[in-house]
Amino acid sequence: AAAFGFVVGISFPVVITPKLQYGGMMPWSSSSGAANSSFLDMSILGRLWPPSSPNLTNSAFAEVATARNPEEGAERRLPPGIVVSETDLHLRRLWGSPTQDSATRKYLLALAVGYDEKANVDATIQKFSDNFDIVLFHYDGRTTEWDEVFEWSKEVAHVSARKQTKWWFAKRFLHPSIVAPYDYIFLWDEDLGVENFTAEAYLDIVRKHGLEISQPGLDATNGTTNYDITIKRNDSEIHKTDAARESCRDVHKPPCSGFVEVMAPVFSRDAWRCVWHMIQNDFVHAWGLDSNIWRCVHDPEEQIGIVDAQYLVHHAVPTLQGQGEKEKEGGRSEVRARQFEEMRAFRSRVSDADDELFCKLTKKGSG
């Protein structure tokens, strides 16, 4: 058989056209060849890739082949109709017709989790309907155990990377093109009490009040709070400002308005596209991000708010900090030191970016 193959190979040598991409000879080449070269180009194309449709003549094929995708990037080499620039986190079957797969859900819940908090994570999952796709970001490397305890675990996406934060995962796995199908993205911690929360009812309120970025209020009587504005109020469905409190220095600035914390934010698709671009790739804790999310909506004082009618308890479990040992590298004190260092660096980068933009706009205006 080997000898026969060798004989066939030398008896019918393959003719390879040299320099096929030279001088504009391919339809996606950026070179502008002479008009009389188009016939030669399409002659080669016709031999290599004949028209797939019997109704497509050589001249029509030439016109289609030379059409360019207006989008920047290597995908411009493809006919626009085959380009798929967005995806999702919906699980699909290995069998059956793709046309009969279940549809991508309307919303997305993303949770950073460790197996030790499985009971609380399960309680949270139960508050989200079948309208949600779910992805779990595992920071402890334990993934398969979840399937053994929870049936729902077999129907959600799992991403694992040891000792990484929610924002590290979000930057890498929640790119706007990945979450594009979802109207809202819940990016939550694992240590939230959800006894007084239901996701669908929450979104009804968010839509009613036109909130692009939001979070559930926090019960100050049970759990921890860091900012007065996030504390649940008993006399309102939502609130957008903390103007009534003495601690509020400027009602028009965070954290008095246009502010949510990073532990349980909810973003519209459009707002998340902006926020994702503000997450720094080399930072993992996102400290300082909450004071700048106002940049990602048109009217921060109206489009960012706290939902009081659906509220949470923040248990403040020191998960990632607790994984380290005090006397070893990566312990709690060193994690906290990095959080503060990142916050200072982020503020500096934002300030520098603002200054740079201001200078450009000033020069443009004076020119």
Side-chain angles (χ1 to χ4, degrees), residues 235-246:
D235 58 351
S236 62
E237 191 171 48
I238 72 162
H239 67 274
K240 302 176 181 178
T241 181
D242 192 39
R245 297 183 184 271
E246 295 182 358

Side-chain angles (χ1 to χ4, degrees), residues 218-360:
L218 299 179
D219 185 356
T221 66
N222 185 14
T224 64
T225 60
N226 296 315
Y227 298 92
D228 289 340
I229 191 174
T230 62
I231 296 175
K232 167 193 171 298
R233 296 181 183 177
N234 298 322
D235 58 351
S236 62
E237 191 171 48
I238 72 162
H239 67 274
K240 302 176 181 178
T241 181
D242 192 39
R245 297 183 184 271
E246 295 182 358
S247 59
C248 183
R249 298 180 179 179
D250 188 337
V251 66
H252 301 296
K253 294 182 179 180
C256 298
S257 64
F259 181 88
V260 301
E261 288 192 77
V262 295
M263 107 272 292
V266 179
F267 304 97
S268 70
R269 181 192 302 110
D270 185 65
W272 175 248
R273 175 176 289 275
C274 171
V275 171
W276 183 89
H277 282 87
M278 192 163 46
I279 301 171
Q280 304 297 286
N281 192 63
D282 55 333
F283 295 168
V284 297
H285 296 290
W287 278 32
L289 186 69
D290 48 10
S291 296
N292 286 275
I293 60 170
W294 60 268
R295 299 169 181 268
C296 288
V297 297
H298 177 69
D299 188 347
E301 293 182 50
E302 289 298 323
Q303 295 175 302
I304 300 177
I306 311 298
V307 177
D308 300 304
Q310 296 287 324
Y311 60 95
L312 304 172
V313 173
H314 185 206
H315 297 307
V317 178
T319 50
L320 281 175
Q321 289 186 23
Q323 288 194 16
E325 297 181 26
K326 292 182 179 179
E327 68 275 11
K328 294 184 179 181
E329 184 178 10
R332 289 190 182 186
S333 61
E334 291 187 338
V335 171
R336 179 52 60 95
R338 174 165 180 146
Q339 289 172 328
F340 280 107
E341 180 179 347
E342 285 189 6
M343 182 171 64
R344 291 189 293 268
F346 181 73
R347 288 174 176 173
S348 178
R349 291 183 187 183
V350 169
S351 178
D352 290 346
D354 283 340
D355 291 344
E356 181 183 5
L357 178 60
F358 178 78
C359 289
K360 288 182 178 180

Side-chain angles (χ1 to χ4, degrees), residues 2 53 63 72 130 187 202 207 268 280 314 322 335:
S53 170
E63 184 176 345
E72 293 295 329
D130 290 339
L187 185 55
Y202 179 89
R207 282 188 288 262
S268 70
Q280 304 297 286
H314 185 206
V335 171

Side-chain angles (χ1 to χ4, degrees), residues 72-341:
E72 293 295 329
E75 70 274 13
R76 72 185 185 278
R77 300 188 179 105
L78 300 171
I82 199 61
V83 173
V84 179
S85 58
E86 298 174 351
T87 183
D88 55 59
L89 289 163
H90 187 66
L91 301 186
R92 302 184 185 277
R93 306 173 301 173
L94 297 178
W95 62 91
S97 171
T99 62
Q100 297 177 352
D101 286 349
S102 62
T104 303
R105 307 302 190 227
K106 294 176 62 177
Y107 318 115
L108 178 69
L109 168 65
L111 287 167
V113 303
Y115 192 68
D116 290 344
E117 293 297 313
K118 60 182 178 296
N120 203 67
V121 172
D122 177 57
T124 299
I125 298 290
Q126 302 305 324
K127 295 291 184 172
F128 288 79
S129 71
D130 290 339
N131 285 326
F132 284 82
D133 277 332
I134 298 173
V135 57
L136 299 186
F137 297 136
H138 299 270
Y139 58 75
D140 60 356
R142 301 175 67 180
T143 57
T144 56
E145 293 98 321
W146 292 80
D147 285 0
E148 299 170 1
V149 181
F150 305 113
E151 191 65 26
W152 54 256
S153 175
K154 302 172 184 178
E155 300 179 2
V156 308
H158 296 262
V159 180
S160 178
R162 290 181 58 82
K163 295 185 182 295
Q164 300 304 310
T165 70
K166 176 177 70 176
W167 297 97
W168 182 92
F169 284 109
K171 186 65 175 179
R172 287 150 183 82
F173 300 103
L174 298 183
H175 186 277
S177 65
I178 295 176
V179 301
Y182 304 110
D183 292 344
Y184 293 95
I185 297 97
F186 289 64
L187 185 55
W188 281 17
D189 290 352
E190 63 187 334
D191 59 345
L192 303 172
V194 293
E195 292 81 4
N196 299 287
F197 175 86
T198 302
E200 292 282 0
Y202 179 89
L203 287 177
D204 288 342
I205 296 172
V206 164
R207 282 188 288 262
K208 174 183 175 182
H209 294 275
L211 300 179
E212 293 291 309
I213 301 176
S214 64
Q215 78 162 75
L218 299 179
D219 185 356
T221 66
N222 185 14
T224 64
T225 60
N226 296 315
Y227 298 92
D228 289 340
I229 191 174
T230 62
I231 296 175
K232 167 193 171 298
R233 296 181 183 177
N234 298 322
D235 58 351
S236 62
E237 191 171 48
I238 72 162
H239 67 274
K240 302 176 181 178
T241 181
D242 192 39
R245 297 183 184 271
E246 295 182 358
S247 59
C248 183
R249 298 180 179 179
D250 188 337
V251 66
H252 301 296
K253 294 182 179 180
C256 298
S257 64
F259 181 88
V260 301
E261 288 192 77
V262 295
M263 107 272 292
V266 179
F267 304 97
S268 70
R269 181 192 302 110
D270 185 65
W272 175 248
R273 175 176 289 275
C274 171
V275 171
W276 183 89
H277 282 87
M278 192 163 46
I279 301 171
Q280 304 297 286
N281 192 63
D282 55 333
F283 295 168
V284 297
H285 296 290
W287 278 32
L289 186 69
D290 48 10
S291 296
N292 286 275
I293 60 170
W294 60 268
R295 299 169 181 268
C296 288
V297 297
H298 177 69
D299 188 347
E301 293 182 50
E302 289 298 323
Q303 295 175 302
I304 300 177
I306 311 298
V307 177
D308 300 304
Q310 296 287 324
Y311 60 95
L312 304 172
V313 173
H314 185 206
H315 297 307
V317 178
T319 50
L320 281 175
Q321 289 186 23
Q323 288 194 16
E325 297 181 26
K326 292 182 179 179
E327 68 275 11
K328 294 184 179 181
E329 184 178 10
R332 289 190 182 186
S333 61
E334 291 187 338
V335 171
R336 179 52 60 95
R338 174 165 180 146
Q339 289 172 328
F340 280 107
E341 180 179 347

